[in-house]
Amino acid sequence: MTGWVILVDQAKDFPNAETPHKVITTRDYLARPQLFESARPKVINLSRSYSYQSRGYFCSLLAEARGHRVLLGLVPGDRFEAKAREAGVDPVPGLSLDPRARPRRVVRDIRLLRALVRGEAVDVVHVHHSHDHWLGALTRGPAALVRTFHNLRA
């Protein structure tokens, strides 16, 4: 198996028909290491929770331990950065993702994300907050855009 592996909590969260890549549940990723014995896929973790000791958290830890490639963009200095680093996942360097950033900084984020999406042949861009939603739309290229709303104001 090569290419991307998309991790979801439940198979219905992201039907396999929507992508040419393997979509598996976090439970299978944790329990079936034989699926990846001779491969080092790039992993996109779309789990609903990365909280301590959740399946999403352990999948990110395990992906790094298995030598799989994990991409994570987040606001530097945010509480999620510390959690990601604790889980062994280094965020994409150079991103601001600050919704209050000046236009020059936003343009820099757009350029960096476009280059990342093209250079890594990203198939799915997953966004969570209102600023990220339009930034994802501007940078995704041919990749699918998955939008998660965490509250009515997102």
Side-chain angles (χ1 to χ4, degrees):
M1 179 184 300
T2 60
W4 291 91
V5 173
I6 300 170
L7 304 180
V8 294
D9 286 325
Q10 298 176 13
K12 67 180 182 179
D13 290 344
F14 195 93
N16 232 350
E18 294 181 15
T19 178
H21 301 287
K22 181 76 174 162
V23 178
I24 64 171
T25 65
T26 52
R27 181 182 302 263
D28 284 343
Y29 186 78
L30 293 170
R32 300 175 63 198
Q34 68 276 14
L35 292 174
F36 307 100
E37 285 177 348
S38 62
R40 298 211 184 266
K42 298 172 185 171
V43 175
I44 300 176
N45 189 344
L46 299 183
S47 180
R48 293 182 184 132
S49 173
Y50 304 104
S51 63
Y52 184 66
Q53 300 217 356
S54 68
R55 278 198 196 117
Y57 172 82
F58 281 115
C59 282
S60 291
L61 276 175
L62 189 57
E64 284 290 318
R66 289 178 176 168
H68 299 171
R69 178 92 164 103
V70 179
L71 300 175
L72 179 64
L74 46 76
V75 176
D78 187 82
R79 64 188 170 105
F80 295 113
E81 180 178 14
K83 287 182 178 187
R85 291 187 189 282
E86 285 174 22
V89 179
D90 288 326
V92 173
L95 284 176
S96 164
L97 299 179
D98 181 359
R100 292 179 215 84
R102 295 187 179 268
R104 177 184 249 163
R105 181 65 239 195
V106 173
V107 169
R108 186 171 163 208
D109 277 354
I110 290 170
R111 287 182 178 152
L112 197 147
L113 285 170
R114 279 186 181 157
L116 180 71
V117 167
R118 287 184 186 128
E120 294 285 344
V122 170
D123 290 302
V124 178
V125 175
H126 187 212
V127 296
H128 297 270
H129 303 289
S130 58
H131 173 73
D132 303 351
H133 287 247
W134 66 262
L135 197 58
L138 290 172
T139 62
R140 71 185 180 113
L145 182 64
V146 176
R147 300 172 68 198
T148 300
F149 293 94
H150 295 279
N151 61 48
L152 293 176
R153 298 186 70 192

